[in-house]
Every structure is written in C-alpha cells, then in structure tokens.
Amino acid sequence: MVYQPDENRYQRMAFRRCGQNGLKLPAISLGLWHNFGDTTQVENSRALLQRAFDLGITHFDLANNYGPPPGSAERNFGRLLQEDFLPWRDELIISTKAGYTMWEGPYGDWGSRKYLIASLDQSLKRMGLEYVDIFYHHRPDPETPLQETMKALDHIVRQGKALYVGLSNYPADRAREAIDILNDLGTPCLIHQPKYSMFERWVEDELLEMLQEKGVGSIAFSPLAGGQLTDRYLNGIPADSRAASGSRFLNPDQLTAGKLETVRQLNTLAEKRGQKLSQMALAWILRNDNVTSVLIGASKTTQIEDAVGMLANRHFTDQECADIDNILNS
Ligand code: NDP
C-alpha cells in the first residue's frame, strides 16, 4: 500500500530554531546509526521512518559508515525514501557525515578535501539524492589543517551538494576555530552534533555557551545513553536490547550495580513527574534553549511514540533539577 503520512503530523511536534539560522528542526530527530543496516528487516526500518514522520519528526540523521555493513544504512534509507517519502522530500531534513574510517587506504578517513568530497558523492549515490540538507565533518582530524577541511565543506555547499554544514564531536576550542573559518568563507556553520545526556555532560562546560554566542545550533546525540537512561535494563538485559546485541558501544559490563541504582532513582523521579524515564531524560536536555534537538535512536515504533509523548511535559522545577544533579553526583 502506498504510504500516506498522517495529516496531523505537524500538530504534535515542537520546532526549534537552529541557532540564529533560518532552519528549524523538530525537538526530536531520528538517527539511523542502528536498526537500518542489512542486519535489520527492512520492514522494521520502514515502520520506524513512517511512525517518526507521522509524529512530526522531519529530521533523519545518517553517516557514511552507518550499517552494518558501513554504507548499508544509507542504501536502505535510499530505498525507503524512493518507495515512501519522495513526494515529501521537501518536508525532510536529511543529514549525513564523513570523518570516520570508510574505505581502505589514506583517502577513506579523517578530514582531507579528497575524502570529504568523494565520500559525500558516494553517500548521495547510495541514497539516490542530489543533495543532503546537512553535511557534517564527523570528528576533528588532528593532522589535516582545519582550513582544508572547512574549505571542503564550503566547496560542497557551493556545489549544491549540501544546503548546510555542521561539525560533530569537536571540542569547544576546535569548534570555535572551525566556526570562525566557515564564517570567513561565507558558509556559516549551521549546527554542532555532540554526545550529550545526563551521563555525559561535557558540553555544559563551555561548548553550548560558545555555540549560542556564535549563533550555531546543536543536536544532542545518544541522549538516552544508548538506552541506559530508560526503563529497559531495570529488570535484567532483554534479549532484543542493544546491550544484548554484542555492541561494543553498549555492553553488559557498563550496566554496573551503581549505574542501575542511579537509573532506578531517576526512574522514581520520572514517575513522580508522571512520565517515563526516557521522556524525562530527553526533556532534561531540551530544558536548555541552546540545544535545538535531541537525536534519538529507536528499535521499535513505541520508543518513538514515547519520545514524542515527552513534549507534553518538558518543564522542570528548580527542585527537580537539583534532585537530578544530586542523583547523578551521588
Ligand atoms: P539513544 O541514546 O537515543 O539510544 C537509542 C536506543 O535506546 C534505542 O535504540 C533503544 O535501544 C533504546 N530506547 C530508545 N527509546 C526507548 C524507550 N522509550 N524505552 C526503552 N528503550 C529505549 O541514541 P543512539 O545511541 O541510538 O544514537 C542516536 C543517533 O545519534 C544515532 O542514530 C546517530 O544518528 C547519532 N549518533 C551520532 C554520533 C556521532 O558521532 N555524531 C555517534 C552516535 C550516534 P534497544 O535497541 O535496546 O531497543
């Protein structure tokens, strides 16, 4: 059956301006790092994208290496885009990235002009797109001059292969330098994509303030710490969970008794607020106006519904914020 999106899709979602730019992003965006590779049934991936778009999630985030195997998430997304979403291309913000190892030899990694331009061409082919909305440099390269990497991003925008560019995983000082270079080149940086959750708060030290000062947006990746900041692991490790999947990014050893005790206390606080822990964890990130969007992952459509349900209760009292800090610091 031909997919028809929900007519009310824009009534539930909140859209937030990306820094001082014209673009607005949904408060919740969907990442395709997991559950879109060749090891996932394509019908599950299709259901996730459709449910997300029906609920007003207009932003899908990819990278050249998402899979497994690397490249397959873009290829599978391209197929679903052709089959279901092509009439709505102009309602979507599609991002991809290059910066991690993608192919063998010296030109398939890091931040050279050679790598970034070739990688984006490959990504566009895999997705069947003429342009992406946002192209990111995925991680800072300690060896390539920043000027070269930023000039490559500027070139890509001027070629029309990306509408905007962004940085990911850049520490504050390097990001500031990159943003200044991009401004000088006439291609302002749209957004920074850092890891940010209750368990990883490094962005609060300096990065978010600097981005606000420069008018650059931000999108927090892994806001649920890969599922740890949910009720998923409160009664053991479910067979269909990320921690049980053999992922090197979330393994059972990380779910220590101390970590689970913290999660239990946060869960109790969320219940008092009348929401799930996953919802409180997302709302807590968005309490900060400097954060444009939370970039979630999902293996089930119900998880996307949970995330969007959070929008009904985003306010925190000072006492609740203090309680969360106390739990996280204990
Ligand atoms: P999250 O922290 O949101 O973790 C998502 C996982 O949490 C889901 O796959 C699911 O795991 C579990 N989960 C989600 N909702 C619920 C719920 N309501 N109840 C219980 N469990 C839930 O994000 P990810 O780590 O997946 O990262 C999100 C995106 O961020 C990526 O897809 C990618 O786009 C981006 N990213 C960017 C990086 C970068 O370097 N720029 C690096 C990493 C990610 P389960 O499988 O157990 O169901």
Side-chain angles (χ1 to χ4, degrees):
M1 215 171 71
V2 178
Y3 168 62
Q4 280 298 325
D6 189 329
E7 284 177 7
N8 299 318
R9 60 190 175 281
Y10 289 113
Q11 286 173 14
R12 302 181 187 96
M13 184 51 62
F15 286 85
R16 291 157 73 102
R17 187 166 299 283
C18 198
Q20 284 166 27
N21 298 282
L23 193 73
K24 290 182 180 175
L25 290 181
I28 299 154
S29 302
L30 181 67
L32 277 65
W33 179 35
H34 286 75
N35 306 304
F36 287 84
D38 287 347
T39 49
T40 302
Q41 296 287 328
V42 73
E43 290 314 314
N44 192 48
S45 305
R46 187 194 305 278
L48 295 172
L49 291 182
Q50 290 187 356
R51 194 69 191 118
F53 192 54
D54 280 344
L55 291 171
I57 295 179
T58 52
H59 178 25
F60 299 141
D61 178 75
L62 295 106
N64 56 356
N65 58 342
Y66 290 175
S72 61
E74 286 183 332
R75 210 181 42 253
N76 293 329
F77 174 72
R79 169 181 160 187
L80 295 168
L81 189 71
Q82 297 296 320
E83 290 175 0
D84 293 350
F85 291 96
L86 225 43
W88 293 280
R89 169 66 182 98
D90 292 338
E91 293 185 37
L92 290 174
I93 298 297
I94 300 167
S95 57
T96 194
K97 321 182 188 81
Y100 284 95
T101 312
M102 189 54 194
W103 64 86
E104 284 186 15
Y107 317 121
D109 205 347
W110 294 107
S112 68
R113 177 182 179 87
K114 169 78 175 163
Y115 172 44
L116 295 190
I117 291 175
S119 179
L120 178 57
D121 283 345
Q122 293 182 15
S123 292
L124 292 173
K125 266 195 208 120
R126 281 192 289 266
M127 292 190 280
L129 288 172
E130 289 179 0
Y131 70 94
V132 289
D133 298 278
I134 308 170
F135 183 64
Y136 286 95
H137 187 218
H138 209 158
R139 62 168 164 174
D141 176 348
E143 292 182 1
T144 301
L146 200 50
Q147 187 82 17
E148 173 174 334
T149 307
M150 295 308 117
K151 274 181 108 170
L153 296 184
D154 170 66
H155 177 77
I156 279 164
V157 169
R158 288 178 196 276
Q159 280 186 311
K161 290 179 181 169
L163 301 186
Y164 302 94
V165 292
L167 308 168
S168 183
N169 296 308
Y170 273 57
D173 53 346
R174 198 87 169 139
R176 180 192 293 274
E177 240 184 288
I179 290 165
D180 288 345
I181 295 172
L182 284 171
N183 278 335
D184 288 347
L185 291 168
T187 297
C189 179
L190 175 79
I191 194 162
H192 189 303
Q193 185 178 127
K195 192 174 198 181
Y196 181 28
S197 73
M198 282 180 179
F199 286 159
E200 296 206 38
R201 300 178 65 170
W202 70 276
V203 300
E204 293 174 4
D205 294 342
E206 195 186 336
L207 183 75
L208 288 180
E209 209 172 300
M210 184 278 287
L211 294 175
Q212 186 171 41
E213 180 198 310
K214 300 271 180 196
V216 175
S218 68
I219 180 164
F221 79 73
S222 297
L224 300 173
Q228 297 176 83
L229 286 162
T230 72
D231 55 13
R232 196 98 166 98
Y233 299 106
L234 285 179
N235 300 304
I237 299 181
D240 64 349
S241 65
R242 187 177 299 183
S245 71
S247 164
R248 71 187 164 95
F249 299 100
L250 181 59
N251 62 61
D253 294 347
Q254 284 168 258
L255 301 166
T256 58
K259 176 76 77 63
L260 287 172
E261 177 51 29
T262 302
V263 172
R264 231 167 244 120
Q265 289 179 26
L266 291 170
N267 194 52
T268 303
L269 189 55
E271 279 171 357
K272 275 193 211 146
R273 285 169 49 85
Q275 62 186 173
K276 291 186 163 190
L277 171 54
S278 61
Q279 295 175 320
M280 181 174 85
L282 297 177
W284 178 86
I285 293 177
L286 291 171
R287 80 198 184 288
N288 194 330
D289 288 339
N290 302 5
V291 178
T292 315
S293 183
V294 285
L295 179 50
I296 62 161
S299 65
K300 299 173 176 43
T301 53
T302 49
Q303 295 174 349
I304 297 173
E305 288 158 8
D306 277 353
V308 176
M310 164 276 289
L311 294 171
N313 183 8
R314 274 187 287 165
H315 178 73
F316 287 86
T317 63
D318 290 346
Q319 186 58 52
E320 284 171 330
C321 285
D323 289 346
I324 289 171
D325 286 344
N326 285 336
I327 294 171
L328 293 174
N329 294 331
S330 66

